[in-house]
Structures are given as C-alpha cells and as structure tokens.
Amino acid sequence: MYFFGGNIPILTIVVPCYNEESVLNETTIRLTRVIEELIMDHSISKDSQILYVDDGSIDHTWNTIEDLGHSSPFVKGLKLARNVGHQNALIAGLNIARNQADCVVSIDADLQDDVEVIKEFIQHYQNGYDVVYGVRQERKTDTFFKRTTALAFYKLMKVMGVNIVNNHADYRLISHRVLNCLGEFRETNLFLRGIIPLIGFKSTEVYYDRNERFAGESKYPLRKMLALGWEGITSFSVVPIRFVTYAGFVFMFLCLIASIYILGVKTLGHTASGWTSLMLSIWFIGGIQLIGLGIVGEYIGKIYKESKGRPKYIVELDNYSNPNRINQAIDSKKNKILVKI
Ligand code: UDP
Ligand code: MG
C-alpha cells in the first residue's frame, strides 16, 4: 500500500480548541508521548503531527499553540478567523490534513478522552479498518444531567432515522479515503457523527472510560448542546415534516369520532344553533390543513435532500475500470478528432 509517508502511514491528530490555554501544554505532552511510542514501533511515520485548530479563541490559545510549535517538531496550528463551533473547527482541520495525512484522529483538547486509545486505533487501521470509533464505556464523570440528556439525544436520533454510534462523540480515526469521501459531501451543515457512518467502509469500535476535563470548563453549555442536537436532526432527517402529515390523519380520525358525538348531541336536541356545523368544520378543516402542510413539507423535504447533492454511492474497490484502457480510449478519440480536422 502507498502512503504519503512511504511505507509507513503519516498520522495527523486534529484537535479543535476554543479557549483552551490551560490544557494545551499537558495535551501536547500526552499526545507527543503516544506519537513517539508509535513512531518507535514503526507504526506511524516520524512526519506525523498534532494539528491544533484555534476556533477563534479569545484567550491566549493561539500564542500557546505558536510557542508549542517552536518547541515541538510535531505541533502545527491553524487559526480560524472567528469562532465557528466545534464541528466546523474540526472540519477545517480535517480538510487541511487531507493533503498530507494517511489517517487522522480527531480528539478534544481537554484530555477527557483517553489518548492511549490512539494506539488501538492505529492497530485497527493497520488491520484494514477505515473508521475506528472511540466509544465511551462509562459516563461516571459526567453529571447526571449530561448523561441523561446525551442518552435522550441518541434515542431521539435513532427515532428520527439517523444512524449514529451510541456514546461516540468525535473521537475517532478515519483513513485517507474516508477523508476524501467526506470532501464529496458539499452540504454546509456537516454533522460528522451522522455522515461518517453514512460513508461506509469497514469500521470498528474501541471502548474507553471518559475522564474529567483536565482543566478549564466545558465549552458546550446546554445552549450549544441543544443547537448540535437540532442541527443533527434537521440536517439528516425529514421525519419531523412527516409528523405533520401524521398529525393531519390523526385529526381526521378524531374528526370522525367527534362527528358521531356532535351529531348524537344534536339529535338529542341539546345544542345551540350553529354549534354542530361549527364544531364539525373546526375538526375537519384542522385535519385537512395539517395534511396539506405535510404534503407541501414532503416536497420541501425532497428539495432539501436534492440541494445537499450527497453522493449516491461510494466505491470501495473497482476491478472493472482499467485506467490504461480509459486513457487509450481518450487518446484514440482525440486522434479521430484530429483526423477529422
Ligand atoms: N470547541 C471548539 N469550539 C467551540 C466549542 C468547543 O473548538 O465553539 C472545542 C473545545 O475546545 C474542545 C472540544 O471542542 O476541544 C469539546 O468541547 P468541550 O470539552 O468543552 O465539550 P464537552 O466535553 O464539555 O461536551
Ligand atoms: Mg470536554
């Protein structure tokens, strides 16, 4: 297999950072240790790197990254012009890593994820896996609130028909070809946890216990968590639109039951004049309107899917196309054109 690094793959560890000045020194020490051990084992190339993406921090994160870059051959930095959020910062890092890395590990800066697991990631990569998901085994260190909301989020995503790996955040390894495929998804709102399983290829999971944040505080308050959840659902699923249609049918059914009751009351003569027709109209028109909205929504859902322009399939191996033959065919066509002229 050909690697950027010759016989040995180059690993880039992408780390999005937002106001992380208090952890970066320790993160660098621990990640460097892992990289050095892997280099000694000849598992990764000595050109492997740590890429810190400064997501518009307002503290000294960028200065720290620059200092670390001067003192360590492994540390590189990318500074974004403003804060764009964890997902986008990660995507920025993955995009530039694509030009020189054979595999990429993404990890948070705060050392909550066990860095030793990267060695297992690399082992799986060498055994032919293109995607290795880091899955949190225990969430003991998370607050009760965070644990339950996270669980509810995974459940909700499943109900909405989005295929995501339970208890997996963005700690994972992906191979160069998966990175390339990621580039084919041109949608603006890339929700990586949903897209990576969608790409396919051979994948596996590695379990680990999640630690406390090394220093600093969470940059994911409830507001950002809800925004990520909403983003995940609305950029993957048209199920919420379908709920409108379902609600319409439920209303129509209720209308049927209500009409029996309403007509019954009318027959018994207990109603004021106009009540019967008013009640029936409300239920009926309500149902019709919801169904109508749902139908319009279905078409909008289709437009939305089309507008994403996602690849319809991704080829893993191709034994049919012969690059030489294709080039010959192109050449012969060119010749014919030349003859015609
Ligand atoms: N982060 C980022 N941009 C943001 C918010 C967070 O790059 O706008 C980074 C942050 O520096 C960290 C990772 O995303 O490396 C995860 O954030 P955090 O650890 O605060 O989230 P939590 O673990 O509390 O969910
Ligand atoms: Mg964290």
Side-chain angles (χ1 to χ4, degrees):
M1 200 168 166
Y2 169 78
F3 294 116
F4 282 117
N7 297 327
I8 308 181
I10 295 180
L11 163 71
T12 295
I13 303 179
V14 177
V15 191
C17 313
Y18 180 57
N19 296 345
E20 299 285 10
E21 59 179 5
S22 55
V23 298
L24 286 183
N25 283 318
E26 183 64 23
T27 309
T28 308
I29 293 172
R30 297 211 201 159
L31 287 177
T32 303
R33 207 180 298 145
V34 171
I35 288 186
E36 280 174 345
E37 283 175 25
L38 284 167
I39 293 175
M40 295 248 281
D41 285 355
H42 303 290
S43 299
I44 59 170
S45 155
K46 59 180 178 8
D47 295 326
S48 296
Q49 278 163 352
I50 305 168
L51 172 60
Y52 288 120
V53 183
D54 176 12
D55 182 18
S57 299
I58 45 177
D59 65 357
H60 294 108
T61 296
W62 181 247
N63 296 344
T64 316
I65 294 172
E66 278 189 319
D67 291 347
L68 288 165
H70 290 136
S71 57
S72 160
F74 298 119
V75 174
K76 296 282 177 278
L78 177 70
K79 183 171 168 30
L80 302 184
R82 68 174 176 90
N83 179 248
V84 290
H86 166 254
Q87 285 286 294
N88 289 325
L90 184 52
I91 289 161
L94 295 178
N95 267 343
I96 69 158
R98 185 149 61 123
N99 301 327
Q100 38 197 320
D102 296 296
C103 56
V104 174
V105 167
S106 47
I107 186 170
D108 291 351
D110 58 4
L111 295 171
Q112 281 197 281
D113 305 311
D114 181 3
V115 296
E116 290 298 312
V117 170
I118 295 177
K119 294 178 192 161
E120 283 178 63
F121 283 2
I122 294 291
Q123 256 172 21
H124 286 300
Y125 170 69
Q126 278 164 342
N127 291 334
Y129 287 94
D130 281 275
V131 183
V132 188
Y133 298 104
V135 176
R136 298 167 190 174
Q137 204 159 25
E138 295 265 349
R139 300 190 72 120
K140 269 191 292 205
T141 52
D142 282 343
T143 59
F144 173 76
F145 178 72
K146 183 121 195 169
R147 251 192 339 250
T148 20
T149 45
L151 200 72
F153 171 67
Y154 294 117
K155 286 253 160 68
L156 186 65
M157 291 300 271
K158 287 261 154 72
V159 172
M160 294 289 164
V162 187
N163 178 20
I164 55 171
V165 177
N166 269 357
N167 281 328
H168 158 73
D170 283 298
Y171 187 25
R172 69 175 88 80
L173 174 144
I174 54 180
S175 67
H176 186 252
R177 61 178 175 174
V178 173
L179 266 181
N180 274 343
C181 295
L182 208 55
E184 286 184 38
F185 287 77
R186 306 204 184 282
E187 56 207 78
T188 315
N189 300 318
L190 259 187
F191 180 64
L192 288 171
R193 290 177 218 182
I195 295 274
I196 307 271
L198 209 64
I199 291 177
F201 293 116
K202 216 170 144 190
S203 69
T204 185
E205 295 172 3
V206 170
Y207 295 85
Y208 68 97
D209 290 335
R210 193 159 151 92
N211 301 318
E212 299 270 10
R213 194 174 230 286
F214 179 75
E217 51 191 46
S218 173
K219 312 297 180 302
Y220 256 100
L222 181 63
R223 179 179 54 82
K224 278 195 182 172
M225 255 164 60
L226 289 176
L228 179 72
W230 186 244
E231 193 64 52
I233 291 168
T234 52
S235 63
F236 264 86
S237 173
V238 288
V239 173
I241 293 178
R242 210 150 286 157
F243 276 147
V244 179
T245 323
Y246 295 153
F249 281 111
V250 169
F251 260 64
M252 287 309 263
F253 180 69
L254 289 177
C255 171
L256 203 71
I257 296 175
S259 56
I260 295 169
Y261 168 73
I262 293 163
L263 290 175
V265 176
K266 185 182 164 57
T267 328
L268 295 174
H270 298 316
T271 56
S273 88
W275 181 81
T276 317
S277 52
L278 201 66
M279 286 310 282
L280 285 176
S281 315
I282 289 173
W283 282 94
F284 187 71
I285 291 176
I288 290 278
Q289 277 180 337
L290 280 177
I291 293 177
L293 264 181
I295 292 173
V296 173
E298 281 289 327
Y299 284 98
I300 293 178
K302 293 241 157 31
I303 296 170
Y304 152 91
K305 280 186 177 163
E306 288 289 334
S307 68
K308 284 183 182 287
R310 286 184 180 166
K312 289 189 187 55
Y313 55 84
I314 283 162
V315 176
E316 181 162 353
L317 290 169
D318 176 3
N319 276 335
Y320 176 75
S321 311
N322 177 343
N324 293 335
R325 217 165 44 208
I326 292 173
N327 286 339
Q328 274 166 15
I330 293 170
D331 284 350
S332 69
K333 268 191 192 146
K334 273 188 201 150
N335 287 342
K336 266 186 205 148
I337 294 166
L338 280 178
V339 170
K340 261 190 196 166
I341 291 168

